Amino acid sequence: MKTLLATLLAALIPMSVMAADKQSPQARAIKAKNTAKIETANGAEPALASSAALVIDANTGQTLYAKNAELAVPIASITKVMTAMVVLDAKLPLDEAVQLANEDIDTIKNSKSRLPIGTHFRRDDLIRLALMASDNRAALALGRSYPGGTTAFVEAMNAKAKVLGLNHTHFTDAAGLAPSNVASPADLGKLVAAASTYDLIREYSTTPSADVTLPNTGRKVGFVNTNVLVRSSDWNIGLSKTGYISEAGKCLVMMARIANQPVVIVLMDSWGRLTRIGDANRIRKWLEKNPPKVAVTPQRSG
């Protein structure tokens, strides 16, 4: 796994990008040009509705498809992948109870959560809910309960990004609520590759659903994965994360096995409610119809 990660990170060369505060207008302009009919035919590259996209052979690091991969854009809840990595890197007790506080309420987008303030949840349950259900309160609590608090946590996120060579990535909160959480698709390809080396991130991000018992009342609350594809028998997904804020549009990153090869898929700023899902399916069909696009790597023994 370490060899795979090193190969992929080395193959993804950072590209120059524009300042983050100038991206949204240009990203919207790019999106306006992408309203043509979507089709895949005769081996041509798929026409994706997402404003920016990247597909990488996870074994070789080869770029199979790229669309505006140099743009740094808001990444919304894709941020939570880095949040999980930083928490796990700190080796904080996963069975430790973390009490939800008023500081964990979303005051940026005013999103809701079914996790009541004042209740205690195990740290690993908060990681699961942040990755699987994209719960913002869970992610903010993970950052706040980090040694040194939220400020230290965000510093650790940006330090981790630097170590991974994410040169066009910046974080300002643990949930991805602020549009100033930005990255390029090229950087997100590296992020997914790094996150795939964490067993818990692979497991929690692809959990189809989970019931959580509220400590104070004993009532069970059901949560489902925000990526409907993890519940599809047509897909073999090893890591997944969705994202959405108005500035970012609908986003999706995955590591999936297609045509018997692992690939990283990054889809940013999709304009329709199901467009990112449609784009993912278009990519899968394209690779299945054009297997030479995916380099065949010899099976490793053992």
Side-chain angles (χ1 to χ4, degrees):
M1 185 65 74
K2 291 182 179 178
T3 301
L4 167 60
L5 175 59
T7 301
L8 183 52
L9 294 183
L12 294 170
I13 302 174
M15 294 171 281
S16 60
V17 296
M18 299 167 60
D21 59 354
K22 297 180 181 179
Q23 294 313 303
S24 293
Q26 177 144 350
R28 294 294 182 253
I30 292 170
K31 180 191 297 185
K33 298 177 182 179
N34 293 330
T35 56
K37 182 180 179 181
I38 307 301
E39 61 181 7
T40 302
N42 300 323
E45 288 190 343
L48 304 184
S50 300
S51 294
L54 186 69
V55 182
I56 303 165
D57 183 326
N59 277 338
T60 67
Q62 176 190 1
T63 296
L64 305 175
Y65 176 95
K67 176 182 178 183
N68 299 315
E70 77 281 3
L71 289 177
V73 295
I75 62 173
S77 288
I78 307 301
T79 298
K80 294 182 175 78
V81 176
M82 178 62 84
T83 294
M85 292 173 66
V86 171
V87 171
L88 294 172
D89 285 350
K91 301 189 183 306
L92 303 174
L94 295 180
D95 59 354
E96 181 180 4
V98 176
Q99 184 177 24
L100 300 185
N102 287 329
E103 295 93 324
D104 305 324
I105 297 175
D106 169 20
T107 58
I108 299 177
K109 296 296 183 180
N110 298 312
S111 61
K112 304 302 180 183
S113 172
R114 290 182 291 167
L115 304 181
I117 297 299
T119 53
H120 294 76
F121 292 91
R122 287 168 50 112
R123 182 172 279 109
D124 59 347
D125 285 334
L126 293 177
I127 297 173
R128 187 192 303 271
L129 292 175
L131 291 174
M132 179 195 77
S134 205
D135 190 279
N136 292 318
R137 191 168 294 175
L140 294 174
L142 289 169
R144 178 184 52 78
S145 61
Y146 185 83
T150 299
T151 299
F153 187 77
V154 173
E155 290 176 354
M157 293 173 75
N158 286 307
K160 179 74 171 181
K162 186 176 181 180
V163 168
L164 293 176
L166 312 186
N167 297 325
H168 308 302
T169 296
H170 182 72
F171 298 103
T172 58
D173 70 75
L177 294 164
S180 49
N181 293 281
V182 298
S184 66
D187 279 3
L188 292 180
K190 295 179 182 180
L191 180 67
V192 171
S196 71
T197 66
Y198 294 72
D199 292 343
L200 281 184
I201 293 179
R202 294 197 308 273
E203 176 188 348
Y204 289 177
S205 70
T206 58
T207 300
S209 63
D211 290 330
V212 174
T213 301
L214 300 183
N216 291 9
T217 64
R219 181 170 64 92
K220 285 189 176 182
V221 178
F223 292 84
V224 297
N225 199 301
T226 53
N227 180 7
V228 298
L229 295 179
V230 303
R231 299 189 293 278
S232 171
S233 59
D234 293 337
W235 280 86
N236 182 359
I237 299 173
L239 187 149
S240 166
K241 188 70 197 79
T242 63
Y244 173 77
I245 56 174
S246 58
E247 294 88 348
K250 300 284 187 177
C251 306
L252 174 65
V253 298
M254 295 191 300
M255 181 172 282
R257 182 166 287 273
I258 301 175
N260 204 35
Q261 289 294 116
V263 295
V264 173
I265 298 173
V266 178
L267 298 169
M268 305 302 295
D269 194 21
S270 296
W271 49 262
R273 186 173 66 90
L274 296 176
T275 301
R276 59 187 171 185
I277 303 302
D279 278 353
N281 281 316
R282 279 182 277 274
I283 289 169
R284 179 171 63 86
K285 291 178 182 178
W286 171 60
L287 292 175
E288 288 174 344
K289 290 180 179 179
N290 300 276
K293 296 285 185 183
V294 181
V296 177
T297 303
Q299 296 273 343
R300 289 193 181 95
S301 59

